[in-house]
Amino acid sequence: MIEAITENGERREMTINMGPQHPSTHGVLRLELVLDGEVITRVKPHIGYLHRCFEKYAEKMDDYAKVIPYTDRMDYVSAMNQEHGYVVAIERMLELEVPERVEYIRVIMAELQRIASHLLGIGAFGLDLGAFTPFLYLFTEREKILDIFEKASGARLLYNYMAVAGLMRDVHPEFKEEVSDFVKTFRPKIKELDDLLSYNQIFIKRTANIGVLPDKVALNYAASGPVLRGSGVKWDLRKNDPYSIYDRFEFEIPVGSGEMGTLGDCWDRYIVRVREMEQSLRIIEQAVDGMPDEGDVMAAIPKRIRPKEGELYARTESPRGELGYYIVSDKSASPFRVKARAPSFVHLSMLPAISSGALIADMVAIVGSIDIVLGEVDR
Amino acid sequence: MKTIDEILEILQNSHPDVELALESGATGTPWIRVPANAIREVSKLLRDGLEFRFDTLMCLSGLHYPAEQELGVAYHIHSTSKKHSLALKVRVPEEKPEIPSIETIWKTADWHEREAYDMVGIHFTGHPDLRRILCPDDWEGYPLRKDYVPQEFYHGVTTGEKSVSEQDD
């Protein structure tokens, strides 16, 4: 390691702040970096700038259903998945059966949202490292998904679309056609992305062998989603702990292989996201084929949800990883406790472990590769 | 894969002096109640025991039970190799909310314990860096306690709490 030596021969350490206002921290995050020359010796993340205490709101809402819009606002780039996780948890609590058509629409929405979220994650990652063009190309595609969401729910970012035991309203008549069109037009774009960014030598130089996360460390930190899979662990809750109707679909779990450098580096985490989009397209295709044309989009449930006394922890695979909801009911109309286990929170806590010894310029790549959303970290 | 009853039986056989209890609600999943002073020992055995292999701590949540004047922590662990999950719960009195930290066993606990300290005020003994994490360091009170009253001012700036209650009147 290179050491900065002053004229008197003393070792000199310097502390600088990255953030809270910094374009590549993806929100309001402050990283306290202790530097030795250009080498990072210690990182201390400071979070909480977006803290609104979602969990307290949930307890005060006086209605389980009224919590759903708040879940949207945690991970605001994948709101559908957040809602999905919450309604799955409540439905398990109530031991409810959900209509077939609802399950299919939910899966299509969740997978479209996963693609939209990855497009933003990948685009912003490239942008952080100086690749401006892919970002614009990817946003064109993301726009198409948001258009479908807007037609179905009326909103482009925070949908409030999924409800306990159903959906807020049925999808529009052209829904299936639009989704199929999107799948067709989007598939070749992934190849284009590979040419533009994935196998771009400059991009590889900036991401390969950087921020290496060994699988043992990843598991001990309970990493999940693309971050864990980037380290070569084949683990996806859609397959390993199936919820909704994911057990009906055929798809692969892409994992990192150290193709460009070391297993578990930034490039591996990146490529897992790209390959995952292909798998999401496969799931969407199968779901569109299997989706019944007719049927209710709301099961008959009492207007006020009152689960029996008890508690559970339900987890779903959000684009960032394991999104868990720990819900405690005391038989009243509002939850006694709702705890959201956000994947970004866990991944950010690993940052000191994977970035000491890195160069300061690589910090941007490491933060970008774990793809955090600060709304979810701070809740 | 082991059920919670089997796990409890093995634990009771290996630690006859530790008071473990199986508890459950009318819905959801059951959990094992562990005394605070035994949580480290039990966690270590659950992580390293050949028949358990709980390698990840999925979630750690702080709780407040105002009726019993108790605080609690719920641990949700999972084994990726044996594919079983388990919930543990520790409850301590409000006056002395001390629970040994399990940060060295599962690293996830580091930030989650800080969050539980910040939100409900549980002191995790042995935690290397027990500071507030979501609220500012000099914030007063623990927001997720049921009897929490938000402070009116923070460094001379109104938090909006008073004006809201005045509007209600």
Short mmCIF file of all heavy atoms in Angstrom, two decimals, chain A residues 270-294:
data_model
loop_
_atom_site.label_atom_id
_atom_site.label_comp_id
_atom_site.label_asym_id
_atom_site.label_seq_id
_atom_site.Cartn_x
_atom_site.Cartn_y
_atom_site.Cartn_z
N TYR A 270 -22.88 -6.20 -11.49
CA TYR A 270 -23.53 -5.51 -12.59
C TYR A 270 -24.13 -6.51 -13.58
O TYR A 270 -25.30 -6.42 -13.95
CB TYR A 270 -22.50 -4.61 -13.30
CG TYR A 270 -22.89 -4.22 -14.71
CD1 TYR A 270 -23.72 -3.13 -14.95
CD2 TYR A 270 -22.44 -4.96 -15.80
CE1 TYR A 270 -24.09 -2.80 -16.22
CE2 TYR A 270 -22.81 -4.63 -17.08
CZ TYR A 270 -23.63 -3.56 -17.30
OH TYR A 270 -24.01 -3.23 -18.58
N ILE A 271 -23.33 -7.50 -13.97
CA ILE A 271 -23.79 -8.39 -15.04
C ILE A 271 -24.95 -9.27 -14.57
O ILE A 271 -25.82 -9.64 -15.36
CB ILE A 271 -22.61 -9.24 -15.60
CG1 ILE A 271 -22.92 -9.71 -17.03
CG2 ILE A 271 -22.30 -10.44 -14.73
CD1 ILE A 271 -22.90 -8.60 -18.04
N VAL A 272 -25.00 -9.56 -13.26
CA VAL A 272 -26.12 -10.33 -12.73
C VAL A 272 -27.43 -9.58 -12.99
O VAL A 272 -28.43 -10.16 -13.39
CB VAL A 272 -25.92 -10.62 -11.22
CG1 VAL A 272 -27.21 -11.05 -10.58
CG2 VAL A 272 -24.87 -11.69 -11.04
N ARG A 273 -27.39 -8.27 -12.81
CA ARG A 273 -28.60 -7.48 -13.06
C ARG A 273 -29.01 -7.53 -14.52
O ARG A 273 -30.19 -7.65 -14.85
CB ARG A 273 -28.39 -6.02 -12.63
CG ARG A 273 -28.24 -5.90 -11.15
CD ARG A 273 -28.38 -4.47 -10.65
NE ARG A 273 -28.20 -4.49 -9.21
CZ ARG A 273 -27.02 -4.31 -8.62
NH1 ARG A 273 -25.95 -4.03 -9.33
NH2 ARG A 273 -26.92 -4.39 -7.32
N VAL A 274 -28.03 -7.45 -15.40
CA VAL A 274 -28.35 -7.50 -16.83
C VAL A 274 -28.98 -8.84 -17.19
O VAL A 274 -30.02 -8.90 -17.84
CB VAL A 274 -27.07 -7.27 -17.68
CG1 VAL A 274 -27.38 -7.38 -19.15
CG2 VAL A 274 -26.46 -5.92 -17.36
N ARG A 275 -28.37 -9.93 -16.69
CA ARG A 275 -28.88 -11.26 -17.03
C ARG A 275 -30.25 -11.50 -16.38
O ARG A 275 -31.08 -12.24 -16.91
CB ARG A 275 -27.90 -12.34 -16.56
CG ARG A 275 -26.53 -12.25 -17.18
CD ARG A 275 -26.50 -12.72 -18.62
NE ARG A 275 -25.26 -12.31 -19.26
CZ ARG A 275 -25.15 -11.32 -20.14
NH1 ARG A 275 -26.21 -10.64 -20.53
NH2 ARG A 275 -23.98 -11.00 -20.66
N GLU A 276 -30.45 -10.87 -15.23
CA GLU A 276 -31.74 -11.03 -14.56
C GLU A 276 -32.87 -10.43 -15.36
O GLU A 276 -34.00 -10.93 -15.32
CB GLU A 276 -31.66 -10.32 -13.21
CG GLU A 276 -31.74 -11.26 -12.05
CD GLU A 276 -31.65 -10.51 -10.74
OE1 GLU A 276 -32.58 -9.78 -10.40
OE2 GLU A 276 -30.61 -10.65 -10.10
N MET A 277 -32.57 -9.38 -16.09
CA MET A 277 -33.63 -8.76 -16.91
C MET A 277 -34.13 -9.74 -17.96
O MET A 277 -35.32 -9.82 -18.25
CB MET A 277 -33.11 -7.48 -17.57
CG MET A 277 -32.79 -6.39 -16.57
SD MET A 277 -32.71 -4.75 -17.28
CE MET A 277 -31.32 -4.87 -18.36
N GLU A 278 -33.19 -10.51 -18.54
CA GLU A 278 -33.60 -11.52 -19.52
C GLU A 278 -34.54 -12.54 -18.88
O GLU A 278 -35.54 -12.95 -19.47
CB GLU A 278 -32.37 -12.25 -20.08
CG GLU A 278 -31.55 -11.41 -21.02
CD GLU A 278 -30.16 -11.99 -21.29
OE1 GLU A 278 -29.94 -13.18 -20.96
OE2 GLU A 278 -29.32 -11.25 -21.80
N GLN A 279 -34.19 -12.96 -17.64
CA GLN A 279 -35.02 -13.95 -16.95
C GLN A 279 -36.40 -13.36 -16.62
O GLN A 279 -37.41 -14.06 -16.72
CB GLN A 279 -34.33 -14.45 -15.68
CG GLN A 279 -32.99 -15.11 -15.92
CD GLN A 279 -33.06 -16.25 -16.92
OE1 GLN A 279 -34.02 -17.01 -16.94
NE2 GLN A 279 -32.07 -16.35 -17.80
N SER A 280 -36.42 -12.09 -16.25
CA SER A 280 -37.70 -11.45 -15.97
C SER A 280 -38.57 -11.45 -17.22
O SER A 280 -39.78 -11.67 -17.14
CB SER A 280 -37.49 -10.02 -15.50
OG SER A 280 -36.94 -10.02 -14.21
N LEU A 281 -37.95 -11.22 -18.38
CA LEU A 281 -38.72 -11.25 -19.63
C LEU A 281 -39.33 -12.64 -19.83
O LEU A 281 -40.48 -12.77 -20.25
CB LEU A 281 -37.82 -10.91 -20.82
CG LEU A 281 -37.38 -9.45 -20.94
CD1 LEU A 281 -36.48 -9.28 -22.15
CD2 LEU A 281 -38.57 -8.52 -21.06
N ARG A 282 -38.54 -13.67 -19.50
CA ARG A 282 -39.07 -15.05 -19.64
C ARG A 282 -40.29 -15.25 -18.75
O ARG A 282 -41.29 -15.84 -19.16
CB ARG A 282 -37.99 -16.07 -19.26
CG ARG A 282 -37.04 -16.38 -20.38
CD ARG A 282 -36.00 -17.37 -19.91
NE ARG A 282 -36.53 -18.72 -19.69
CZ ARG A 282 -35.81 -19.72 -19.19
NH1 ARG A 282 -34.56 -19.50 -18.84
NH2 ARG A 282 -36.33 -20.91 -19.03
N ILE A 283 -40.17 -14.77 -17.50
CA ILE A 283 -41.29 -14.93 -16.57
C ILE A 283 -42.51 -14.17 -17.09
O ILE A 283 -43.63 -14.68 -17.08
CB ILE A 283 -40.91 -14.43 -15.16
CG1 ILE A 283 -39.74 -15.24 -14.60
CG2 ILE A 283 -42.10 -14.52 -14.22
CD1 ILE A 283 -39.22 -14.74 -13.28
N ILE A 284 -42.28 -12.96 -17.57
CA ILE A 284 -43.41 -12.15 -18.07
C ILE A 284 -44.11 -12.86 -19.22
O ILE A 284 -45.34 -12.96 -19.25
CB ILE A 284 -42.92 -10.75 -18.51
CG1 ILE A 284 -42.41 -9.96 -17.30
CG2 ILE A 284 -44.05 -9.98 -19.19
CD1 ILE A 284 -41.71 -8.68 -17.64
N GLU A 285 -43.33 -13.41 -20.14
CA GLU A 285 -43.93 -14.12 -21.28
C GLU A 285 -44.83 -15.25 -20.81
O GLU A 285 -45.97 -15.40 -21.27
CB GLU A 285 -42.81 -14.69 -22.17
CG GLU A 285 -42.32 -13.73 -23.20
CD GLU A 285 -41.18 -14.32 -24.04
OE1 GLU A 285 -40.49 -15.23 -23.55
OE2 GLU A 285 -41.02 -13.87 -25.17
N GLN A 286 -44.28 -16.05 -19.87
CA GLN A 286 -45.08 -17.18 -19.37
C GLN A 286 -46.32 -16.71 -18.64
O GLN A 286 -47.39 -17.30 -18.75
CB GLN A 286 -44.24 -18.04 -18.43
CG GLN A 286 -43.08 -18.74 -19.12
CD GLN A 286 -42.10 -19.35 -18.10
OE1 GLN A 286 -42.50 -20.05 -17.19
NE2 GLN A 286 -40.83 -19.08 -18.28
N ALA A 287 -46.17 -15.61 -17.90
CA ALA A 287 -47.31 -15.11 -17.12
C ALA A 287 -48.39 -14.55 -18.04
O ALA A 287 -49.58 -14.71 -17.79
CB ALA A 287 -46.84 -14.05 -16.13
N VAL A 288 -47.97 -13.88 -19.11
CA VAL A 288 -48.96 -13.33 -20.06
C VAL A 288 -49.73 -14.48 -20.70
O VAL A 288 -50.95 -14.42 -20.87
CB VAL A 288 -48.27 -12.45 -21.13
CG1 VAL A 288 -49.22 -12.12 -22.26
CG2 VAL A 288 -47.75 -11.17 -20.50
N ASP A 289 -49.02 -15.56 -21.04
CA ASP A 289 -49.69 -16.73 -21.62
C ASP A 289 -50.68 -17.35 -20.65
O ASP A 289 -51.76 -17.78 -21.03
CB ASP A 289 -48.65 -17.79 -22.03
CG ASP A 289 -47.91 -17.38 -23.28
OD1 ASP A 289 -48.42 -16.48 -23.98
OD2 ASP A 289 -46.83 -17.94 -23.54
N GLY A 290 -50.29 -17.40 -19.39
CA GLY A 290 -51.10 -18.13 -18.42
C GLY A 290 -52.20 -17.30 -17.79
O GLY A 290 -53.09 -17.83 -17.13
N MET A 291 -52.15 -16.00 -17.99
CA MET A 291 -53.08 -15.11 -17.29
C MET A 291 -54.52 -15.28 -17.78
O MET A 291 -54.79 -15.18 -18.97
CB MET A 291 -52.63 -13.66 -17.51
CG MET A 291 -53.49 -12.63 -16.84
SD MET A 291 -52.77 -11.01 -17.18
CE MET A 291 -54.23 -10.06 -17.46
N PRO A 292 -55.47 -15.57 -16.87
CA PRO A 292 -56.86 -15.70 -17.30
C PRO A 292 -57.40 -14.34 -17.78
O PRO A 292 -57.04 -13.31 -17.22
CB PRO A 292 -57.59 -16.15 -16.04
CG PRO A 292 -56.57 -16.42 -15.01
CD PRO A 292 -55.32 -15.72 -15.41
N ASP A 293 -58.24 -14.36 -18.81
CA ASP A 293 -58.77 -13.10 -19.35
C ASP A 293 -59.88 -12.53 -18.48
O ASP A 293 -60.11 -11.34 -18.45
CB ASP A 293 -59.27 -13.30 -20.78
CG ASP A 293 -58.12 -13.36 -21.75
OD1 ASP A 293 -57.22 -12.51 -21.63
OD2 ASP A 293 -58.10 -14.25 -22.61
N GLU A 294 -60.61 -13.45 -17.86
CA GLU A 294 -61.74 -13.00 -17.05
C GLU A 294 -61.46 -13.32 -15.58
O GLU A 294 -60.67 -14.19 -15.28
CB GLU A 294 -63.02 -13.75 -17.47
CG GLU A 294 -63.42 -13.53 -18.91
CD GLU A 294 -63.97 -12.15 -19.15
OE1 GLU A 294 -64.76 -11.69 -18.29
OE2 GLU A 294 -63.61 -11.52 -20.15
#
